[in-house]
Amino acid sequence: MPASFELRDVVAGPDDQPILRGVTLDVACAGVTAIAGPSGAGKSTLLRLLNRLDDPRSGTVRLDGRDLTEWEPGALRRRVAMVFQRPPLFDGTVLDNLRVARSTLDRDGGLQALQRVGLPEVLVDRDAADLSGGEAQRMCIARALLTEPGVLLADEPTSSLDGAATATIEDLMVEIAAGGVPVVLVTHDVPQLRRIADRAVVIVDGGIAAHGSLTELDGHPDPNVRDLVGAG
């Protein structure tokens, strides 16, 4: 089942200068949800809270009705998978890297995992260090999906890729969401948000300025919100 998050009065970041201040938000994951806002607003901090890469200073974050502190970390990160701006690679082949997520994965399973993200089967025996940036990112997405997550978090996954690789990853995110694994994506790229997002959470100065479908946000009374989601 898709995951759902509840944040209540969340404060996060340094004690003397919190990045998020008093955030209350429900994220019922479905489709592609973009987290948008200016640089330094707290987008990545919010995303990292959702699988306990960071903990709030105060307030609560719940997943499926349970406080995140009640989850065993391994179980949480299988339920809430994450891919990063720079794909983390481990020593060894692509298959070795996939087995980080599922140690019992056999060769056929590795081939199926690559097929799921549109990578050629020949890459399964390639040294992971020899992959291109776009190939490495897709391999990391394949690895994340092997945990059979309820949601996939993505922190600016295309920011270091060229245009062709970016388009491939965007298509993959839409396909993953359509296949039943919702995506929550941090992006600073407004055109990207317009291309792939169904809804958005807009963060300004550490608080939630707006959230909802793009249609709703396109009609928001605050012109800053409309600008941040690229409303025409």
Side-chain angles (χ1 to χ4, degrees):
M1 294 292 292
S4 62
F5 297 97
E6 303 167 47
L7 294 85
R8 294 292 180 267
D9 298 319
V10 167
V11 176
D15 285 335
D16 58 344
Q17 194 172 4
I19 298 170
L20 297 178
R21 296 183 290 276
V23 167
T24 292
L25 175 70
D26 290 342
V27 184
C29 298
V32 177
T33 299
I35 302 177
S39 296
K43 301 185 297 297
S44 293
T45 297
L46 175 62
L47 196 75
R48 291 171 64 86
L49 291 173
L50 300 183
N51 74 346
R52 288 200 73 194
L53 289 178
D54 289 333
D55 283 328
R57 295 288 180 183
S58 61
T60 59
V61 182
R62 295 187 180 91
L63 168 64
D64 301 336
R66 293 172 56 196
D67 194 299
L68 291 194
T69 59
E70 298 175 5
W71 285 77
E72 189 275 322
L76 173 64
R77 290 173 186 142
R78 287 189 295 272
R79 178 75 171 140
V80 184
M82 189 165 180
V83 294
F84 300 88
Q85 188 173 11
R86 297 184 182 277
L89 305 179
F90 297 90
D91 291 339
T93 66
V94 167
L95 183 58
D96 294 330
N97 271 257
L98 295 175
R99 284 174 172 158
V100 171
R102 186 183 296 176
S103 61
T104 59
L105 188 73
D106 61 16
R107 184 181 176 82
D108 285 344
L111 297 177
Q112 291 172 11
L114 294 185
Q115 183 180 42
R116 186 175 184 182
V117 297
L119 286 173
E121 293 182 354
V122 68
L123 294 184
V124 74
D125 295 317
R126 183 171 296 180
D127 193 308
D130 293 334
L131 297 176
S132 70
E135 289 169 342
Q137 191 62 285
R138 278 192 280 168
M139 184 203 69
C140 289
I141 293 169
R143 186 170 63 202
L145 294 176
L146 283 169
T147 68
E148 300 181 357
V151 61
L152 178 66
L153 309 181
D155 192 0
E156 300 193 49
T158 64
S159 64
S160 61
L161 303 180
D162 63 23
T166 291
T168 299
I169 296 295
E170 288 178 355
D171 289 345
L172 180 57
M173 292 290 175
V174 171
E175 180 182 328
I176 289 168
V181 180
V183 175
V184 179
L185 168 83
V186 166
T187 182
H188 66 279
D189 184 339
V190 175
Q192 179 176 80
L193 181 153
R194 300 303 301 191
R195 287 192 295 267
I196 69 173
D198 302 295
R199 56 191 55 79
V201 175
V202 181
I203 304 178
V204 176
D205 293 332
I208 305 299
H211 62 94
S213 70
L214 293 193
T215 300
E216 292 168 334
L217 297 179
D218 284 350
H220 197 277
D222 185 341
N224 190 37
V225 168
R226 297 198 302 270
D227 183 59
L228 288 168
V229 298

